[in-house]
Amino acid sequence: MAKPRGRRRLVTLSVLLLASLTLLALGGPFRHTASRVARAIVSPFVSVVHGVTKPIGESMAGIFNYGDVVNQNHVLAKELDQLHQAQIAYLFQLRQLGDVMALKKLPFVGTLPTVTAQSTAQNRSNFAATIEIDKGTDAGVLAGMPVVGGGGLVGIVTATTAGGSTVTLLTDPSQSVGITFGVGGQAYVHGQGPSHSLAMEFVAPGTPVHVGEHVFTNGLQGGLFPAGIPVGTVVGTFSGTGGAQQSISVTPLANLSNLAYVDVVLWEPGA
């Protein structure tokens, strides 16, 4: 029953369309009426066709513009990467500036002259702990001069050239520093390698040593270091039988693993 009804609708539409075209051809007073009728008949078909063809047209436009979109994405990704790199560089420079400014406020240096140097290389192994700096004899740096950082003593200059120097760090096994602590306590700390704390020895029997207290250069080790430079913090004490102090561990106050800049104290041993 559905098919005859569909045919009748099609025939009716065809007749109306033919009648409208006839009226248009005749012209005269019937022209405007025929135009309205024709638009009423044709409009649904135009809407259907437009609804079908519009997405296809947009899809085709997207296909033809795909290359431009890809290129724009590449440009944006490159610009984003450049901004990210610039941010990293800025943060690095900001940290370096902070390191340099920290060296300008070292109360333990007092009025002693200093030369700020940048670390150019590091050598850390189980047997050695040294860094290279970009200041040498041309800047007044000599072997034996103390080197300090933001926290305290870093090490000592052990070799120089005109434009650079080698600094042996506190943690190097070859280093030994005379220190003072508490109320008149005297001892020595020496390096045990980059991955180990400093060992504190030759503490007089009965001298109290407390975890958390700081130790400083005593200025009595043949004049190798001026007095009062912070060296480290006591982090552990171990007593043997009879109360004799068997081992004391000290952690350097200076951050020896991150030495971007250091100050060489222009102070010669024995001065």
Side-chain angles (χ1 to χ4, degrees):
M1 296 299 292
K3 289 183 178 180
R5 187 180 296 110
R7 291 196 194 96
R8 284 197 298 271
R9 288 179 179 176
L10 182 60
V11 170
T12 302
L13 287 172
S14 300
V15 170
L16 290 173
L17 182 60
L18 180 61
S20 298
L21 293 174
T22 302
L23 291 173
L24 286 172
L26 291 175
F30 303 103
R31 179 180 298 274
H32 297 295
T33 302
S35 297
R36 289 195 298 271
V37 174
R39 282 196 297 270
I41 296 171
V42 175
S43 179
F45 296 98
V46 173
S47 298
V48 172
V49 172
H50 180 71
V52 173
T53 58
K54 182 178 179 181
I56 297 174
E58 291 177 350
S59 299
M60 294 299 292
I63 293 173
F64 286 116
N65 293 329
Y66 178 74
D68 292 337
V69 173
V70 171
N71 291 335
Q72 290 176 1
N73 285 341
H74 286 321
V75 171
L76 291 175
K78 184 177 180 180
E79 291 177 352
L80 184 62
D81 183 64
Q82 290 174 342
L83 289 174
H84 181 63
Q85 295 299 323
Q87 182 185 33
I88 293 175
Y90 170 75
L91 292 176
F92 176 73
Q93 292 170 355
L94 192 63
R95 190 188 71 183
Q96 287 189 315
L97 178 61
D99 292 342
V100 173
M101 294 304 296
L103 293 175
K104 301 303 179 185
K105 301 176 181 179
L106 300 181
F108 50 82
V109 174
T111 60
L112 294 174
T114 61
V115 170
T116 300
Q118 184 175 12
S119 174
T120 58
Q122 300 181 2
N123 175 29
R124 291 185 175 87
S125 65
N126 292 330
F127 307 102
T130 63
I131 63 172
E132 303 296 322
I133 60 175
D134 64 352
K135 293 294 190 299
T137 55
D138 286 349
V141 176
L142 301 175
M145 288 183 170
V147 179
V148 297
L153 188 64
V154 168
I156 190 169
V157 177
T158 51
T160 60
T161 64
S165 301
T166 299
V167 177
T168 301
L169 305 182
L170 283 176
T171 50
D172 189 280
S174 68
Q175 290 301 296
S176 182
V177 181
I179 54 98
T180 183
F181 62 95
V183 183
Q186 302 291 327
Y188 287 88
V189 294
H190 68 263
Q192 301 184 99
S195 59
H196 301 282
S197 59
L198 304 172
M200 182 172 167
E201 297 179 339
F202 305 110
V203 179
T207 304
V209 181
H210 305 287
V211 172
E213 68 176 315
H214 295 334
V215 301
F216 305 84
T217 57
N218 59 19
L220 302 177
Q221 190 186 355
L224 288 180
F225 299 96
I229 298 178
V231 175
T233 304
V234 176
V235 293
T237 62
F238 306 91
S239 299
T241 58
Q245 290 173 340
Q246 184 179 31
S247 178
I248 302 172
S249 297
V250 175
T251 296
L253 281 167
N255 185 0
L256 302 184
S257 63
N258 183 23
L259 295 171
Y261 289 89
V262 295
D263 265 359
V264 180
V265 182
L266 301 183
W267 185 90
E268 296 183 54

